[in-house]
Amino acid sequence: MEKFAEQLRELRHEFHRHPELGFQEDWTRARIAERLKEFDIETHVGAGVVGVLRAGKGNRAIGLRADFDALPITEENDFAYKSENEGVMHACGHDGHTTMLLGAAELLAKDPDFDGTVVFLFQPNEEHGLGARAMIDEGVLRRFPIDEVYGAHNLPGEPVGRVSTRPGIICYSESLFEFEIRGTGGHASMPHVGRETLTPGAELVLALQTIVARKLPPSAGAVVSVTEFITDGQRNVLPGHTVIKGDTRAASPEDRQTIEEFMRDIGAGIAASHGVEVEVRFQTEFIEAVNDAEAAGYVVAAARATGLEADGNRKPMTFSEDFANFQAEVPGCFLLIGNGTEGANARPLHAANYDFNDELLPIGAKLWAELVRQRLPSGGQSTG
């Protein structure tokens, strides 16, 4: 097992040195396919990479998913395997997720003690919420039908290998909003002559804060964040055009719809009170990730059988996850697994000095393999 861990570490470092942005992952896609073929796993390359491994005569199939895109971040780490692609970095651990799943594929190919089919789903462009849908639209679930689907993400700050998940909502949706305010700019000394847009923009920013604070129940846990305030004003020029952009997270489609409705109401009110035009744009990039209750239980059982600590009722994560699109089609479970509590392994996801923990590689690979063996047992009926 020590040799296996070393091979996974070398492979992960190889991925880390060659990060690629979403839908530009040509090298990564080819390397994943090459690795799968080394173990005689049926391999299909499209938007992503799909490996299919069959054993026994069972007709049940489960899917295991890993993401492989990187981020537009300049790496600050100085270790030997740092990114060789300037301005691009595996700052979210997708290099590790991919390596763990390739490790599981190796374990199961060498010892196929299960009955059924495993579909390994290697997904591009998770960071923009586009990769899962690209694979689905391409027909991956029609060509390789599965009964259940599972995905994982490392969690900095948690002990290495600690598994946590929950039934129901596990990751929030993400929607981007934009308010465009159009009026008439003018001289800073004569604000009454025109209809400047900075003041209504400032009022709009404050009004948006009332959505979570006063219009949704505290239990909703929604987040509304204004992230950009752009005007065409200058030192002595009042702006006639203002754009306000931001990000909102919600734990349910109902809350997401409510937030959008209040935003449109606020925009209309600001427009009426200031005599300006306000256009509201609201686009959902990631839907909510919702775990099947039984699937969440299977993950906890597999984790404990592997000797890992497991929490089956963690709090939902407010970040968003493209895996939700697979879950919208097939019952499944998304889980978090601890990345460590010290150094680069504990730094926040998307930080320029973050790094995936190599100790987690064989742990994750064995967890996936155990889940397959429990869900597709060679000796009879699956648990649950």
Side-chain angles (χ1 to χ4, degrees):
M1 190 56 70
E2 184 175 336
K3 182 179 179 181
F4 176 64
E6 177 59 30
Q7 290 173 339
L8 293 184
R9 182 161 51 250
E10 291 177 0
L11 181 62
R12 206 276 294 184
H13 291 184
E14 186 179 355
F15 284 125
H16 193 89
R17 288 196 303 271
H18 300 92
E20 296 173 301
L21 299 177
F23 291 150
Q24 301 176 31
E25 313 100 325
D26 296 336
W27 180 92
T28 307
R29 189 184 296 106
R31 186 68 182 97
I32 292 169
E34 179 183 46
R35 188 71 172 180
L36 290 172
K37 291 174 183 177
E38 288 176 10
F39 303 108
D40 295 323
I41 294 173
E42 178 185 328
T43 304
H44 304 265
V45 179
V49 183
V50 179
V52 181
L53 183 62
R54 300 179 181 88
K57 299 180 179 179
N59 58 9
R60 295 188 68 256
I62 72 169
L64 303 177
R65 173 274 204 174
D67 39 17
F68 57 75
D69 58 320
L71 287 153
I73 294 173
T74 298
E75 183 162 11
E76 294 179 358
N77 294 310
D78 58 3
F79 40 57
Y81 56 89
K82 70 177 295 185
S83 171
E84 296 177 6
N85 295 343
E86 184 65 28
V88 184
M89 175 192 174
H90 272 297
C92 202
H94 295 184
D95 51 341
H97 302 165
T98 293
T99 303
M100 289 193 300
L101 190 55
L102 286 169
E106 177 181 351
L107 292 175
L108 293 167
K110 289 182 174 179
D111 186 13
D113 52 344
F114 63 93
D115 186 19
T117 302
V118 186
V119 179
F120 302 99
L121 300 163
F122 294 90
Q123 179 203 312
N125 206 343
E126 189 281 327
E127 294 292 352
H128 290 95
L130 299 172
R133 178 49 55 191
M135 294 181 73
I136 293 168
D137 290 346
E138 198 174 58
V140 68
L141 298 179
R142 293 192 302 273
R143 294 180 63 194
F144 313 104
I146 53 179
D147 300 292
E148 304 166 13
V149 65
Y150 298 88
H153 204 293
N154 75 95
L155 190 58
E158 287 278 309
V160 178
R162 183 180 187 273
V163 171
S164 59
T165 189
R166 61 177 285 114
I169 179 74
I170 182 68
C171 294
Y172 280 31
S173 63
E174 180 191 24
S175 300
L176 303 182
F177 61 85
E178 182 176 311
F179 291 80
E180 184 175 4
I181 309 173
R182 293 184 292 270
T184 303
H187 200 287
S189 68
M190 295 180 287
H192 60 288
V193 175
R195 296 190 185 277
E196 57 89 8
T197 57
L198 194 149
T199 301
E203 288 189 16
L204 193 148
V205 170
L206 293 176
L208 289 176
Q209 307 313 307
T210 67
I211 295 176
V212 171
R214 293 293 180 267
K215 295 179 173 65
L216 290 174
S219 59
V223 181
V224 173
S225 296
V226 174
T227 57
E228 297 180 69
F229 195 123
I230 307 161
T231 81
D232 63 352
Q234 298 184 41
R235 181 180 65 86
N236 61 349
V237 178
L238 292 168
H241 183 261
T242 293
V243 175
I244 294 168
K245 299 181 182 181
D247 176 291
T248 182
R249 311 289 171 134
S252 72
E254 294 78 17
D255 286 347
R256 176 162 33 105
Q257 182 178 352
T258 297
I259 290 170
E260 180 179 2
E261 290 172 352
F262 278 126
M263 284 188 173
R264 294 190 182 281
D265 290 345
I266 288 170
I270 292 291
S273 62
H274 288 273
V276 294
E277 297 178 16
V278 178
E279 182 178 353
V280 183
R281 291 182 279 272
F282 188 96
Q283 180 176 339
T284 297
E285 302 285 314
F286 293 80
I287 61 173
E288 299 80 9
V290 181
N291 282 343
D292 177 80
E294 291 185 346
Y298 303 148
V299 164
V300 171
R304 290 174 177 166
T306 314
L308 302 175
E309 179 186 356
D311 176 5
N313 194 31
R314 70 155 299 117
K315 292 181 179 179
M317 305 298 296
T318 54
F319 64 59
S320 304
E321 176 48 68
D322 194 24
F323 182 70
N325 284 293
F326 284 116
Q327 290 179 292
E329 304 287 336
V330 182
C333 178
F334 186 71
L335 63 103
L336 290 306
I337 186 165
N339 194 56
T341 59
E342 297 180 355
N345 307 142
R347 295 186 182 118
L349 297 172
H350 297 199
N353 57 355
Y354 157 89
D355 192 33
F356 188 89
N357 194 332
D358 289 329
E359 291 182 32
L360 189 53
L361 296 170
I363 294 172
K366 288 187 286 186
L367 172 61
W368 283 140
E370 177 63 27
L371 181 63
V372 168
R373 291 167 181 143
Q374 287 197 12
R375 299 304 302 138
L376 305 173
S378 57
Q381 298 292 320
S382 63
T383 59

